[in-house]
Amino acid sequence: MSQETPMQPFAVDIDLASGAMADPDTVITRRASDMRGYYADADALERIIGEQHDPVHYEVFEKDIPEAPGHLRICVSKLYPGTVGRECFMTKGHYHTVSGTAEIYLCLQGRGFMLMKTKQGACLAERMVRNGMVYVPPHWAHRSVNTGEEPLVSFCVYPGEAGHNYGDIVEQGFPRRVYLQNGEEVIA
Ligand code: PA5
Ligand code: NI
């Protein structure tokens, strides 16, 4: 009876000051045009796409780790600063496909919020600031929001089997949005 060869251990250099991951295997790039349907002010998003030539909105730097039970997936998420109208730049947000899986976000740079919601209607925001860790429990959809002037960079760890379910967020959004009004953060 043959046994599967175990995956080889590896090391990765992550600059904890900037969040830069050396030698990522995959870089997911989301541009402004990938965010159609997510912001309250669709016209403002179209102006950004047109006038700024569809700028990069956020990037996710990953290592190739199996999406399977027992593994821990890691990534660095880098969300650029800015607003669409007055609404702060944010990630798409998702539930995990295997909903009962948690995630850890360790903020390395920038400031903002982790916006989280449940299917039962709860919605809350945890502050994200350098060296702060946010624990996203199982069953909470999560989206990061950048309210600062530099990129919001986080190191994330989640179970290999978790997966990403974006569909429910595209359809339902989050009950609350994060704005900048006269320089003040407003969650409404
Ligand atoms: O798994 C996570 O929660 C993160 O790595 C996110 O995927 C990342 O922040 C990008 O957000 P989203 O997947 O919602 O586009
Ligand atoms: Ni996640």
Side-chain angles (χ1 to χ4, degrees):
M1 207 165 145
S2 72
Q3 256 195 325
E4 243 181 77
T5 314
M7 179 181 165
Q8 292 299 297
F10 68 92
V12 56
D13 188 272
I14 297 173
D15 180 341
L16 295 184
S18 68
M21 180 191 282
D23 199 22
D25 293 319
T26 308
V27 182
I28 298 168
T29 302
R30 305 274 190 224
R31 293 186 173 274
S33 59
D34 295 314
M35 299 304 292
R36 286 185 171 118
Y38 286 90
Y39 289 101
D41 189 341
D43 293 341
L45 182 67
E46 290 307 320
R47 284 196 294 278
I48 290 172
I49 295 168
E51 293 166 11
Q52 299 176 33
H53 311 290
D54 199 11
V56 174
H57 212 67
Y58 60 96
E59 295 164 296
V60 185
F61 303 87
E62 298 182 327
K63 294 303 286 181
D64 281 347
I65 295 170
E67 295 184 77
H71 286 279
L72 292 171
R73 301 261 307 165
I74 61 159
C75 71
V76 171
S77 168
K78 183 175 189 180
L79 170 63
Y80 288 91
T83 55
V84 177
R86 287 199 301 245
E87 191 174 358
C88 297
F89 279 11
M90 61 191 184
T91 57
K92 291 183 172 188
H94 57 269
Y95 288 101
H96 288 160
T97 311
V98 178
S99 169
T101 52
E103 182 156 354
I104 285 168
Y105 274 72
L106 176 61
C107 182
L108 302 178
Q109 189 189 91
R111 63 185 288 111
F113 291 98
M114 178 61 66
L115 199 58
M116 292 169 278
K117 71 160 192 169
T118 65
K119 291 206 155 78
Q120 290 75 28
C123 181
L124 54 82
E126 280 291 339
R127 164 69 65 196
M128 291 181 84
V129 65
R130 179 172 164 73
N131 295 342
M133 192 209 80
V134 176
Y135 184 70
V136 181
H139 308 296
W140 286 79
H142 42 285
R143 150 183 292 169
S144 32
V145 185
N146 188 344
T147 60
E149 290 174 358
E150 56 180 355
L152 178 64
V153 182
S154 307
F155 174 70
C156 315
V157 186
Y158 56 96
E161 74 275 25
H164 294 74
N165 165 7
Y166 295 102
D168 290 355
I169 304 301
V170 175
E171 281 170 26
Q172 300 153 16
F174 276 67
R176 302 169 84 189
R177 293 177 180 275
V178 182
Y179 299 94
L180 276 179
Q181 287 177 357
N182 304 320
E184 298 286 314
E185 297 166 332
V186 175
I187 303 176

